[in-house]
Structure formats: C-alpha cells, structure tokens
Amino acid sequence: RGQLLREPQTKVSPSWSPLAGDKCQVYSESAGGWVDATVESIDAMTGAVTVSYTKNGSKFTKDVYPEERGQLLREAPSKDSSSWSPASGDKCQVYSESAGGWVDATVESIDA
C-alpha cells in the first residue's frame, strides 16, 4: 500500500525557494496529475523554473513561471508517510501507471 497510496500532498510552501537539483513535483495535465520531478535550472531574468520528469519512459521538461508556481510546482513530499492510516472518505493520492504519476483520489473502502 505504501508505494501506491499516500496522503494528499500540500501545495507549494510560500517559503520554498527551489534550487537546481531539488526534488519536487510538477502538475502535468498530459500525465493527469502530479509527477515527481527535478529542478534543472532557474532563469535569473524571468524566474522561470525548468523541471524535468519522466512519463511512460520518456523524459520531459517544463518551464514553470513565477505566477504559475502555486498551481503547478511544489516541494517533493516527505518520505515519512508511514504513520498515515487512511480511513474511508479520506482524500489521498494513488499512483497511476497509465496517468504516469500521482493523481488525487478519495478512499472508498478499506479491506481489513
């Protein structure tokens, strides 16, 4: 369960300043949700953050401009989500191979 289901991730923290090499997540419409990515560079003139991510075995890059950061870019989730115990009705994220990343979902039921 820990590798296919996780707590919902929060939006980017206003205090987070991405640096080249940082792990992050970027929202990809074509992937259908949030995908794990790496900050490749930050344009000093425009403030655009270039990230790279892999979808269906292919590498993609995306430029995220400052006015889009709150909607399209966020810090990588913490690795410690082992204490989360989902309950029916909880918001969560599930990893979807076909979507190529994490998609928002709701826990419908739990088999004991």
Side-chain angles (χ1 to χ4, degrees):
R1 173 185 91 204
Q3 298 188 357
L4 298 177
L5 181 72
R6 69 181 184 194
E7 284 184 272
Q9 306 301 298
T10 58
K11 298 285 187 221
V12 67
S13 162
S15 63
W16 181 57
S17 295
L19 300 171
D22 281 356
K23 299 296 181 198
C24 63
Q25 290 188 326
V26 65
Y27 188 83
S28 168
E29 229 170 270
S30 64
W34 293 96
V35 293
D36 294 328
T38 302
V39 175
E40 296 295 331
S41 62
I42 295 115
D43 186 303
M45 296 283 288
T46 65
V49 178
T50 301
V51 298
S52 65
Y53 62 96
T54 303
K55 180 182 125 190
N56 299 329
S58 298
K59 186 175 180 177
F60 294 88
T61 60
K62 182 173 189 163
D63 292 330
V64 180
Y65 292 89
E67 61 273 13
E68 304 171 309
R69 278 194 203 167
Q71 294 81 38
L72 301 179
L73 189 66
R74 65 186 181 194
E75 293 177 80
S78 76
K79 297 291 181 194
D80 182 29
S81 53
S82 58
S83 63
W84 182 59
S85 241
S88 185
D90 281 355
K91 299 290 183 196
C92 65
Q93 289 188 322
V94 62
Y95 189 81
S96 168
E97 286 270 337
S98 61
W102 294 96
V103 294
D104 294 331
T106 302
V107 176
E108 293 293 322
S109 65
I110 299 172
D111 293 337

